[in-house]
Amino acid sequence: MNSLSEECTPLKQEYDACFNSWFSDKYLKGVTTDHCGPLFQKYQECVKKAIKDKAIDLEQLEKRILGTANEKQIPES
Amino acid sequence: HPWETVAQAAWRKYPNPLNPSVIGVDVLDRKVDHHGKLISHRVLTTTWGMPSWAALLIGLHPVTYASEHSVVDPKRKSFELKSSNVSLQNFISIDEKLVYSPHPTIKDATLLKQEAVVTVRGLSLANRLEQMVTNAISSKASAGREGLEMIIEKINDEMKEFASTAKKGLEEMKNSVDVLDFE
């Protein structure tokens, strides 16, 4: 799987591999501290910069629809 | 499949041939909160399923982005994902919620509850368009489950290969130890 930015893809793949094995081998067995921190930091820095460069506005997303008063009723079908 | 298997596979859902339009997944934030729940925020990059020149021609950006917030509760065995589109928010809102939990009656099986709300703004064709998108999401939902099934099979194959490699390694070690005994 790729990252939204080509240059972040190798960092992402490294982090994902770490996360996937941590998730199955540690987290689901009750270990909550993870060792992927440094990998994640490097990857995150790259992604956050890419988002800024591409001007993706994520703040719009903080409003929820499902589960709030905005949720539409099921239409009569 | 048991909930743990599905939870692992859900993180690795993309890419899969049944959801080809998701071309990028990035983790923006992730932490384990003080209740032990895993909270993640991801951004998904999707194409329209057409070449970028075609999308640009009809006035669309070649990629759209969606923001996904998820919570894994390993004690209650619940994996909940909520996603909304970022791009085109002025035009349409597609909000999806997926919850994976152990099946209430079938042993070692997982229940997926999937909902989507589509809201189209400012168009006289609003109702028709909402219906079209809702139908597409509905048929994608079963593709999503099938895609997940493929990933689970892939993970099982990986584990079998790992086990057989480990077994071979152990046998080789054992053989070399046996040889040493003879000297």
Side-chain angles (χ1 to χ4, degrees), chain A residues 4 50-59, chain B residues 43 45 65 86-87:
Chain A
L4 63 91
I51 287 185
K52 230 175 100 192
D53 291 345
K54 292 181 194 252
I56 304 170
D57 182 8
L58 291 164
E59 297 319 305
Chain B
V43 59
T45 308
Y65 299 105
V86 174
S87 320

Side-chain angles (χ1 to χ4, degrees), chain B residues 165-178:
Chain B
T165 311
K167 188 163 175 249
K168 273 195 220 133
L170 277 171
E171 280 172 11
E172 275 166 34
M173 249 173 48
K174 180 173 179 288
N175 290 340
S176 58
V177 168
D178 288 348

Side-chain angles (χ1 to χ4, degrees), chain A residues 34-73:
Chain A
D34 89 89
H35 54 277
C36 302
L39 279 175
F40 184 52
Q41 235 186 335
K42 276 201 313 198
Y43 164 53
Q44 249 206 338
E45 273 168 27
C46 184
V47 171
K48 293 214 157 137
K49 176 173 181 295
I51 287 185
K52 230 175 100 192
D53 291 345
K54 292 181 194 252
I56 304 170
D57 182 8
L58 291 164
E59 297 319 305
Q60 280 195 336
L61 265 300
E62 296 319 306
K63 73 176 185 346
R64 295 270 188 276
I65 303 272
L66 283 174
T68 69
N70 284 336
E71 185 173 344
K72 266 208 174 136
Q73 302 307 316

Side-chain angles (χ1 to χ4, degrees), chain B residues 102-172:
Chain B
H103 199 280
T105 50
I106 304 175
K107 186 175 183 295
D108 284 339
T110 303
L111 181 71
L112 165 61
K113 193 169 158 226
Q114 189 164 359
E115 313 164 41
V117 173
V118 180
T119 314
V120 176
R121 310 180 213 288
L123 275 197
S124 54
L125 295 172
N127 285 342
R128 177 73 185 117
L129 196 56
E130 280 179 6
Q131 188 60 55
M132 278 168 60
V133 177
T134 313
N135 288 345
I137 291 177
S138 208
S139 57
K140 279 264 150 48
S142 66
R145 286 194 297 276
E146 284 171 42
L148 209 52
E149 190 68 45
M150 288 176 69
I151 301 291
I152 288 174
E153 239 185 80
K154 181 164 172 260
I155 294 178
N156 283 342
D157 287 344
E158 278 172 16
M159 288 191 352
K160 279 191 206 138
E161 210 186 297
F162 178 71
S164 93
T165 311
K167 188 163 175 249
K168 273 195 220 133
L170 277 171
E171 280 172 11
E172 275 166 34

Side-chain angles (χ1 to χ4, degrees), chain A residues 64 66, chain B residues 6-7 10-11 13-14 30 40 42 44 67-72 78-84 95-100 112-115 148:
Chain A
R64 295 270 188 276
L66 283 174
Chain B
V6 175
W11 286 121
K13 188 172 169 185
Y14 306 110
R30 182 170 267 152
S40 312
R42 300 196 300 176
L44 277 65
S67 168
E68 175 205 88
H69 289 266
S70 61
V71 181
V72 181
S78 149
F79 189 176
E80 183 179 299
L81 302 99
K82 287 188 184 164
S83 67
S84 301
D95 298 286
E96 264 204 312
K97 180 173 157 187
L98 285 78
V99 184
Y100 296 97
L112 165 61
K113 193 169 158 226
Q114 189 164 359
E115 313 164 41
L148 209 52

